[in-house]
Amino acid sequence: MTSDSKLIQMLNLRNYRLRSKLIITYLLLTVVPISLLGYISYSQYTKSIEGQVGEYIPKILDQANENIDKQMEELTYAPELLYNSSQVLSILRKDSYPTRSEFLNDRFTMNSYLSSTYFTEKNSLLGVFVWTKQRLFSSTTVSYTGFEKEPDWGGGDGMILQHETDLRFKGKPPFFLIVKPIQDFENRRTIGTIMLAVRLTFIESVLMSIKDQDEAEIWIMNRQGRVIYHTDPEQIGTVENMSAFPLANGSFRSYKNGERMLVSVSESERMGWITVHRIPFKYLTEQAEMVKDFVIGIFIAIVLATIIISVFMAWSVSRPIYKLSRLMRTVENGNFQVDLNIQSKDEIGILARSFNSMVSRIRELVQLNYHIEIRQKQAELYALQSQINPHFMYNTLETISMAVEEDEKETVVEMVTLLGKMLRFSLSNKNRIVTMDREVEHIRNYLLIQKYRFEQRLHFTIDSDIELQHYYSPKFILQPIIENCIKHGLETRKGLNISVEVFKVQGIRPQTEDITIIIRDNGAGIDHETLKMIHRLLRSDPIAKRDSGYGLINVHARIAMLFGVEYGLAVESEPVEGTEIVIRIPAITDLQTVEKYERIEDESYRG
């Protein structure tokens, strides 16, 4: 069976039990609508949050860009302060120094002016550098390395990012350089370059006001994707893939390492910088997640309540039907003593009353058929008791005739005596349960007659560890079995040994004793197929009509009908090795019990 056909079979509700169908129906009518409602509400809520944040963050970024632009504008005017000092301009106009002391004096003057002019508590400058004619004047707030020669910045106003220069400050603070040429307006020439090293703290102070969650990332990059500032300092100087930013202003969805992100961007009009805010969706929807968890809790509670209610409802509806189904299986197994007690007046109550009526009618018919079968079995038994196998009689008379011809008077007398005892026992139908010594004596007489016939080919032993005259047995339960032993045993063997053992064992029923009779022979045995058929017949209904042709089956049926199905015959055999038959009956020692079992047979016969 393919996987598709198995799936179709699983989805086919007709294959489920009624209780399962009812539970599934209740759950589908409650859980599915609630699930859809919760899912749709959550989706709409998260989309609403995404839309609000997607509109709100770019506006905040626009405001941040305006603040950064203002501060950058102030920083770009800072180099103009040099023109306020004629002494500084005169120093910058000098082409050379005749003595080193004069240079050192000018450097001191220049550095002092830079320090007093540019460094205040509010600005974010790390240092001021003035290059003129390969001479460097500088003033910094922390020590630095590099900057041994004037960088090639291309002339004009501009900006040098940190990765574009070898200048490094102690502590490695992130920075960038604002570059502006110094003009000598009187002589109309460029006399130097001023470079302001600006710490990125002013950008950080602006952007941190909008970074309300630690999980958000904010950075500023130029149009080429070069990161100027990043909340993660390790990312400063790296290059972003600009193709991942379809918008210059606004918000869009993106993915990072498989995680969904909301990205908002805003481009500065003055600087051309792009400010980016990126945050995972799950942090935007934290409140929605709390609501979702609460709703899921309520949903689980509703589902559990629905399951309990659906199970109860399904149980109350299906319980009478299951009870009916169970009783129907009981009836199917042959037990008609059942009654479906359902008092309701609905369809199930009508069905229960119809079922009870049907079972009552079947019980009457079965009882009628049972009595017919019993009468048939009684007739078979009486016919068996009233006759001796004609072949046995013929063979016995022939043996007696041969003994007469040979003038074996003692043999003739013995055989005639034995045959008379057998006929007297067979024709006495008054008692159907006799003492065990009489049943065993009957078999001994039978075997002695057969011994005269077959002489040395037949040997037998009969042993017992109990006093047989004190116990009772159904009549004629041993002769059919012994006949089978001789008939089939001497067909293929020159000699046959038969042993009969009678002993007492612990009873099958509590506080009782049983009698076990074991009959063994070393004959041809029974082939496996025939033995299987015999076992099947022994396990089947003992009252049913036996048409097997096996005498031992009829013996088993009689014992089972008389004492119960736990009593009867057991047969074991191996081809060539022989056969063992075990007969088990209850130990009957008193006449009252004998009369009870005889009344059972009489009532069955009269029924």
Side-chain angles (χ1 to χ4, degrees):
M1 184 180 293
T2 63
S3 58
D4 292 339
S5 60
K6 289 182 178 179
L7 180 60
I8 293 173
Q9 187 174 2
M10 289 178 62
L11 295 177
N12 190 353
L13 287 178
R14 290 181 297 178
N15 299 326
Y16 288 84
R17 301 177 66 181
L18 176 61
R19 185 176 300 173
S20 301
K21 292 179 181 178
L22 293 174
I23 293 174
I24 292 173
T25 302
Y26 291 144
L27 291 178
L28 289 176
L29 292 177
T30 55
V31 174
V32 173
I34 294 176
S35 301
L36 290 175
L37 180 62
Y39 174 76
I40 294 172
S41 300
Y42 175 75
S43 299
Q44 293 299 322
Y45 184 56
T46 53
K47 287 181 180 179
S48 175
I49 292 177
E50 177 185 349
Q52 293 176 7
V53 173
E55 293 178 1
Y56 172 73
I57 294 296
K59 294 179 180 179
I60 299 298
L61 295 180
D62 290 342
Q63 185 63 43
N65 280 337
E66 291 180 5
N67 294 335
I68 293 173
D69 287 346
K70 289 179 181 179
Q71 295 196 37
M72 287 296 297
E73 186 176 2
E74 293 177 0
L75 289 172
T76 55
Y77 288 131
E80 306 293 335
L81 298 175
L82 285 176
Y83 297 106
N84 295 335
S85 173
S86 58
Q87 186 178 10
V88 168
L89 291 175
S90 64
I91 293 173
L92 294 175
R93 290 189 182 107
K94 292 182 180 180
D95 294 328
S96 62
Y97 290 92
T99 62
R100 181 167 179 76
S101 61
E102 185 178 353
F103 170 72
L104 293 175
N105 184 51
D106 283 352
R107 188 172 68 176
F108 176 77
T109 302
M110 189 71 173
N111 291 348
S112 298
Y113 180 80
L114 294 177
S115 177
S116 61
T117 303
Y118 287 98
F119 294 105
T120 65
E121 295 181 357
K122 295 182 178 181
N123 65 30
S124 55
L125 294 179
L126 284 169
V128 182
F129 302 88
V130 178
W131 286 92
T132 177
K133 303 178 180 65
Q134 300 300 318
R135 297 191 298 271
L136 176 63
F137 302 98
S138 65
S139 178
T140 61
T141 57
V142 294
S143 60
Y144 68 93
T145 59
F147 238 37
E148 298 295 333
K149 60 180 181 178
E150 182 176 1
D152 183 13
W153 52 275
D157 297 352
M159 180 184 299
I160 299 177
L161 300 179
Q162 182 174 340
H163 74 281
E164 297 174 332
T165 176
D166 63 348
L167 176 64
R168 295 294 181 269
F169 291 93
K170 183 179 180 181
K172 298 182 180 179
F175 68 95
F176 63 89
L177 295 173
I178 295 177
V179 183
K180 194 167 187 176
I182 304 172
Q183 301 293 334
D184 183 359
F185 294 105
E186 292 181 3
N187 299 316
R188 297 183 179 180
R189 65 189 181 96
T190 301
I191 56 177
T193 303
I194 181 171
M195 298 182 180
L196 304 180
V198 182
R199 190 195 301 264
L200 295 181
T201 53
F202 83 95
I203 298 178
E204 184 176 1
S205 62
V206 172
L207 296 182
M208 283 300 100
S209 61
I210 63 173
K211 186 178 183 295
D212 55 351
Q213 289 180 305
D214 294 336
E215 295 77 13
E217 295 178 281
I218 302 178
W219 70 90
I220 296 177
M221 60 185 178
N222 59 22
R223 290 191 176 97
Q224 288 72 41
R226 180 71 63 177
V227 177
I228 300 170
Y229 167 81
H230 200 292
T231 50
D232 180 7
E234 297 294 330
Q235 300 297 322
I236 295 177
T238 60
V239 179
E240 291 285 340
N241 182 10
M242 295 304 294
S243 62
F245 297 87
L247 301 177
N249 292 279
S251 298
F252 59 90
R253 297 179 183 179
S254 179
Y255 289 88
K256 179 182 179 182
N257 299 326
E259 185 176 17
R260 193 168 64 147
M261 317 287 280
L262 178 63
V263 181
S264 300
V265 294
S266 175
E267 185 175 6
S268 168
E269 295 181 358
R270 184 178 185 278
M271 301 297 298
W273 290 353
I274 301 173
T275 304
V276 183
H277 179 280
R278 182 170 64 190
I279 186 171
F281 262 95
K282 62 182 180 181
Y283 297 109
L284 288 177
T285 58
E286 280 183 335
Q287 295 296 326
E289 291 296 325
M290 293 177 61
V291 173
K292 183 186 74 172
D293 294 340
F294 176 75
V295 171
I296 288 176
I298 298 297
F299 172 74
I300 292 174
I302 293 175
V303 169
L304 292 176
T306 301
I307 291 175
I308 294 173
I309 295 173
S310 63
V311 169
F312 174 77
M313 295 295 295
W315 179 82
S316 63
V317 171
S318 62
R319 181 172 175 269
I321 299 177
Y322 287 150
K323 186 177 180 181
L324 172 61
S325 176
R326 185 175 66 253
L327 292 180
M328 291 182 70
R329 285 194 295 270
T330 303
V331 172
E332 183 181 359
N333 293 330
N335 182 7
F336 298 98
Q337 303 301 323
V338 297
D339 181 62
L340 184 58
N341 186 17
I342 297 177
Q343 302 299 328
S344 62
K345 296 182 179 180
D346 55 9
E347 290 80 358
I348 297 177
I350 296 173
L351 181 63
R353 288 187 288 275
S354 299
F355 173 78
N356 290 333
S357 176
M358 179 191 69
V359 171
S360 176
R361 179 58 179 162
I362 293 175
R363 189 162 54 236
E364 293 174 359
L365 294 175
V366 169
Q367 190 69 20
L368 177 61
N369 186 65
Y370 173 81
H371 291 308
I372 294 173
E373 290 287 339
I374 290 295
R375 286 195 294 270
Q376 181 180 352
K377 291 299 175 184
Q378 287 290 346
E380 292 174 358
L381 173 62
Y382 293 145
L384 178 64
Q385 292 177 338
S386 300
Q387 64 178 354
I388 295 178
N389 192 314
H391 292 286
F392 168 72
M393 181 66 72
Y394 173 79
N395 292 330
T396 301
L397 294 175
E398 185 177 13
T399 303
I400 293 174
S401 175
M402 292 175 61
V404 170
E405 291 178 0
E406 296 176 3
D407 199 23
E408 297 177 357
K409 297 179 181 179
E410 294 181 0
T411 301
V412 172
V413 172
E414 180 69 20
M415 290 185 66
V416 170
T417 302
L418 293 173
L419 182 60
K421 290 180 179 180
M422 289 186 63
L423 288 172
R424 188 180 305 111
F425 183 78
S426 298
L427 297 175
S428 176
N429 291 335
K430 181 179 180 180
N431 297 321
R432 288 178 294 279
I433 297 178
V434 297
T435 56
M436 292 202 67
D437 61 333
R438 293 187 61 194
E439 179 72 12
V440 171
E441 182 187 7
H442 178 71
I443 291 305
R444 183 180 286 109
N445 294 337
Y446 177 80
L447 286 170
L448 285 172
I449 292 176
Q450 296 289 21
K451 175 71 175 174
Y452 279 114
R453 178 187 175 194
F454 294 106
E455 298 180 345
Q456 297 303 317
R457 293 185 63 192
L458 177 64
H459 300 276
F460 70 90
T461 60
I462 299 177
D463 297 315
S464 174
D465 62 353
I466 61 174
E467 296 182 1
L468 298 176
Q469 68 273 17
H470 295 154
Y471 296 90
Y472 291 86
S473 164
K475 195 175 181 181
F476 284 108
I477 63 173
L478 297 179
Q479 181 180 333
I481 298 172
I482 299 297
E483 287 180 353
N484 280 339
C485 292
I486 295 174
K487 176 183 178 182
H488 298 290
L490 290 177
E491 285 181 351
T492 58
R493 289 188 176 273
K494 293 181 179 181
L496 178 67
N497 294 323
I498 298 176
S499 67
V500 180
E501 298 179 21
V502 183
F503 51 92
K504 187 164 56 176
V505 296
Q506 178 66 38
I508 295 176
R509 296 166 181 168
Q511 300 179 349
T512 62
E513 294 179 327
D514 293 341
I515 299 297
T516 298
I517 306 171
I518 300 179
I519 303 170
R520 297 188 183 92
D521 69 59
N522 63 340
I526 305 173
D527 63 84
H528 294 303
E529 292 299 323
T530 304
L531 186 62
K532 287 181 181 179
M533 181 176 63
I534 292 173
H535 286 166
R536 186 174 65 254
L537 291 172
L538 291 175
R539 289 193 300 267
S540 59
D541 182 11
I543 301 177
K545 181 178 180 180
R546 305 297 180 182
D547 194 21
S548 62
Y550 296 100
L552 57 87
I553 302 299
N554 292 323
V555 172
H556 171 77
R558 184 183 173 207
I559 294 174
M561 286 189 293
L562 193 59
F563 302 118
V565 294
E566 60 267 38
Y567 294 100
L569 272 65
V571 181
E572 296 296 335
S573 181
E574 287 291 336
V576 183
E577 296 183 6
T579 303
E580 177 182 282
I581 299 176
V582 180
I583 303 175
R584 190 179 189 117
I585 61 175
I588 304 173
T589 59
D590 58 284
L591 290 175
Q592 291 182 349
T593 306
V594 172
E595 292 174 356
K596 182 187 75 171
Y597 285 119
E598 287 188 338
R599 280 198 303 271
I600 292 175
E601 287 196 329
D602 290 340
E603 290 173 0
S604 300
Y605 178 72
R606 288 194 299 269

